[in-house]
Amino acid sequence: MSDSIDIINAFALLTNFVILPALSYGSQLALGALAVTLVYSILRFSNFAQGDSMAFGTMLVILISGFMISKGWTISGVPTALLAIPMALIGMAIYLLLIDRLIYKHYRRINAKQNIVGITASIGVMFVTGGIVRFILGASAQRFGDGERFIFSVREFKAFTGLEQGIALKTSQFLTVTIAILLVAFLFYFLQKTKTGKAMRAYSDNKELALLSGIDPDKVVQITWLLVALFTTIAGTLYGLDKGFAPQQYHLLLLPIFASVIVGGIGSPIGAIAGAFLVAFSEILLTYAYKKFLIYLLPLSMHPSSLVQLIGTEYKYAISFVILVIVLLIKPTGLFKGKEIV
Amino acid sequence: MNNLNTILQANKAIAYFAIMAFILLFVGLNQSWALALGIINMSLISAIMALGVNIQWGYAGLFNVGIMGFAALGGVSVVLIAQQPVTEAIDVGGMKMLIALIFGAVTIAAGILLNRRGVNQWLTTLIVVIGYLITRHYFSEASDLIEKVDPAITGYLGGFGLPVAFSWVVGGFAAAIAAWLIGKITLGLRTDYLAIATLGISEIILYVIKNEDWFVRGLKNVYGLPRPVPYEVDMQKSEWLQNIVAWIHKSELQLLSQSEQIVRLGDYVRESAVVFVKLCYSGLFISILVAFIVLSNLALNSPWGRKVRAIRDNEVAASAMGKDIKRQHLQIFVLGSAIVGVAGALLVTYDGIFIPTAYQPLRFTFLIWVMVILGGSGNNMGSVLGAFIIWFIWIQSGPMGLWFVDILSNTMQEGSASLEFIEDRVHYLRLVFMGAILLLIMRFSPGGLLPEKNKEL
């Protein structure tokens, strides 16, 4: 029989390998999903360029932080990437506003079928952005995190608690969750309480009525892109600090991000966050190998011989897709009622 | 001048195709005929693919972002149909794999049936999970066994050893089935759901192909696929080709000595064998392309085609007239994807090898999109023209990029760091370039080069 210490060990194991990674991955997805939701609510199209935009923002952070490191402008213990974010944000905002000015604005003016044209245009933007990122940084994976890697490491945790299994809290995980909470709080405050935020919601709910009541559509769109720049850059940077930077990886993030948005209900910010955590937890819970976990919990005779992994890690993107399909089959409006589904 | 303009306007299509033919003729005369024919063949395959996408996008406004996946399904079917079976692997793991696949199918069927009958959801889930675990058990055992059989050469089940032409049909069917599943789930919902779902399915198809070695050898590629046309080596030995070549170059050869004549003739024969084989392929691809164009033009001008366009132009009105929009969209989506699947099979047949890593979203999905939109969405001839132009630019942009680097290198110091950097990554600029083309066409000439003629019904 397993005693209580084994149960604690088992859950320490689970916390270290499932809960913490899923929390930080979920937060990263949530920020990306919020950016997609914002574009969708205001500009009325699904932004296929989101993944590559995140790569672009991260690229700016990498370049700026590299410059800062070379000048010695660092603070010990803090990833320089974090200090580079404000500068990168300016670059990202300029890039997004420029793209909007050059491409999307035209289609708003001629009142094109926003969704279809928007998707096509954003796919064009996706390739241009991806090409620029690959041209500047190359297509291979790289790490750009510096500073302390852990808030506390497995060894410290074990020494502190005396458990057989340790929990490590990576700096990137801690930063991800903290920053995500702050950003989400800011977004909700902004949308609920400020005048501009209210204007944005009005514009999203009923464009004609909003225009009648004197809301400046150009301003709403610009503010939206600024918010998107904020969320995109930070989501990309946090993801990169956590898992390293690889353009292709960012490109493929599109799938879990869209899954999150649709699971939560397109156009609903709360839904996007809930969807992101649902996707992140499913992905990690299903690809985790439970062998060690079960060895702690089960009596010796029932110890598993295989890895007890439900789905191979190489199929993690398939999980987002399956979730997407299930939601479309059962509840196409998403968990939190989003926009119209037709 | 004005007169010329009117003529150009009236015969825009002919003019564009003439210009394209002239450029290819130029390549053939100046560089080599093999190169020109290579470009033509790839353009023809791309044109078939673009035709499939045009049917979806131009006829019905359906957004397929998973062209790559459907093309890959076509490629897979070439391997599965035309390769010889690996009897040893089938003896070792074939039975178990069959059991696993049957179990998988039964589980899915049971899940769907129980769900429809309204049986308790938890019970259904439990049954599906148990079915999944059994399937996975047999599956991993079988795939391990199969992959261990001579992994350097086979390590997979092989195919059915049937004629390769058969695989084109199968490729179309495979793509059609995948499209049907996706369409069944997402059509009738928002347009972007289809786009996202196709994007997802194409990535997953690629993941399966790359990871399941027992299936089509995964990343180890499949070499030496059978051909529908003769091999170059055999052609070199064929007497009639030698005679023709000797006749063509008669005047030149007469001036040479006996020994020189033989050497020169050998060179010419080798060259013309390559050209001949490529010509065979061209003939094949042209006849398939023409068949598809004729069929789809006939369909478009039939009552069915008018219905399709009516739905595209005004869904609400068409729906009020009692047209079943979802059914119609599903039909078109499946049809278009099937054509993409056929083209994917043709591509792998032409290459003679199956390389999963060659399936890049840029090369397939995106390039085909640019072809359709440049050519003029809704117009089949436009898609063909777009395929020729974009493929030509795509092929030539490699050398052009290097040429550009060359010019830079003259102004910069030899071996400077930034130069190497540019040389290394210049091909990523293709992405930017193609994206820019797409955006520019959409912005300034949304109809494309050859806009759809009968826009109004």
Side-chain angles (χ1 to χ4, degrees), chain B residues 57-333:
Chain B
W57 170 245
Y59 288 20
L62 299 175
F63 211 97
N64 183 354
V65 196
I67 302 164
M68 171 182 76
F70 297 112
L73 280 179
V76 166
S77 43
V78 176
V79 178
L80 289 186
I81 294 300
Q83 277 301 81
Q84 292 302 319
V86 181
T87 39
E88 202 186 335
I90 293 171
D91 288 344
V92 175
M95 207 58 215
K96 276 198 176 131
M97 188 53 83
L98 196 65
I99 294 175
L101 294 181
I102 289 173
F103 247 109
V106 168
T107 308
I108 293 171
I112 293 171
L113 266 181
L114 289 176
N115 201 17
R116 275 203 190 145
R117 290 277 161 82
V119 179
N120 184 314
Q121 283 195 352
W122 290 109
L123 187 70
T124 315
T125 317
L126 188 73
I127 291 172
V128 170
V129 168
I130 291 173
Y132 173 75
L133 290 177
I134 297 174
T135 309
R136 198 173 149 81
H137 172 77
Y138 276 104
F139 180 82
S140 54
E141 212 171 305
S143 59
D144 277 350
L145 286 172
I146 293 167
E147 281 163 23
K148 267 187 201 132
V149 178
D150 206 356
I153 299 167
T154 57
Y156 74 125
L157 285 174
F160 287 99
L162 297 170
V164 69
F166 193 54
S167 74
W168 306 333
V169 182
V170 175
F173 270 109
I177 291 168
W180 186 82
L181 285 173
I182 291 292
K184 196 77 186 156
I185 296 168
T186 53
L187 289 171
L189 300 173
R190 304 165 37 90
T191 26
D192 36 357
Y193 285 3
L194 178 74
I196 293 161
T198 46
L199 179 80
I201 194 79
S202 78
E203 290 293 342
I204 288 168
I205 289 171
L206 258 291
Y207 272 108
V208 171
I209 292 173
K210 283 178 191 166
N211 286 304
E212 302 301 325
D213 284 10
W214 63 273
F215 186 46
V216 281
R217 291 200 80 210
L219 294 174
K220 291 183 284 184
N221 306 340
V222 181
Y223 300 96
L225 292 167
R227 275 183 174 186
V229 297
Y231 284 86
E232 283 90 348
V233 190
D234 299 333
M235 286 316 298
Q236 283 172 30
K237 289 177 199 144
S238 76
E239 216 154 280
W240 63 267
L241 186 74
Q242 283 174 6
N243 289 339
I244 291 178
V245 172
W247 182 76
I248 291 173
H249 298 283
K250 199 164 60 184
S251 51
E252 190 193 333
L253 288 171
Q254 270 169 357
L255 302 173
L256 300 169
S257 70
Q258 193 77 27
S259 59
E260 272 179 332
Q261 256 184 35
I262 292 170
V263 174
R264 185 63 64 88
L265 189 65
D267 284 347
Y268 281 135
V269 168
R270 246 189 314 276
E271 212 172 281
S272 24
V274 174
V275 170
F276 178 79
V277 170
K278 292 221 153 124
L279 271 176
C280 288
Y281 274 120
S282 306
L284 176 72
F285 297 151
I286 287 176
S287 38
I288 294 174
L289 177 64
V290 168
F292 276 138
I293 290 179
V294 169
L295 283 177
S296 62
N297 276 350
L298 281 179
L300 194 61
N301 293 320
S302 71
W304 180 85
R306 279 195 290 278
K307 181 168 78 178
V308 166
R309 281 176 291 150
I311 290 176
R312 179 194 64 190
D313 294 338
N314 194 336
E315 268 188 29
V316 180
S319 170
M321 298 296 291
K323 310 295 179 206
D324 187 344
I325 292 172
K326 188 182 166 183
R327 201 181 124 91
Q328 199 59 57
H329 277 174
L330 189 61
Q331 230 174 48
I332 291 172
F333 187 65

Side-chain angles (χ1 to χ4, degrees), chain A residues 58-90:
Chain A
T58 316
M59 176 192 79
L60 292 177
V61 167
I62 291 176
L63 293 178
I64 294 169
S65 69
F67 177 74
M68 287 169 79
I69 290 171
S70 72
K71 291 279 178 199
W73 299 342
T74 56
I75 301 173
S76 71
V78 182
T80 317
L82 223 53
L83 305 175
I85 284 180
M87 281 287 285
L89 272 179
I90 297 172

Side-chain angles (χ1 to χ4, degrees), chain A residues 264-325:
Chain A
I266 281 201
S268 149
I270 297 185
I273 298 168
F277 282 103
L278 186 79
V279 169
F281 269 92
S282 325
E283 206 170 276
I284 294 179
L285 278 172
L286 288 172
T287 52
Y288 178 64
Y290 287 94
K291 184 179 180 183
K292 262 176 133 181
F293 178 70
L294 290 176
I295 286 176
Y296 275 119
L297 290 186
L298 296 173
L300 192 63
S301 57
M302 286 172 72
H303 279 183
S305 56
S306 61
L307 283 171
V308 207
Q309 187 185 25
L310 289 170
I311 295 167
T313 338
E314 61 272 20
Y315 292 118
K316 61 178 181 180
Y317 288 112
I319 296 169
S320 337
F321 181 74
V322 171
I323 295 175
L324 184 76
V325 166

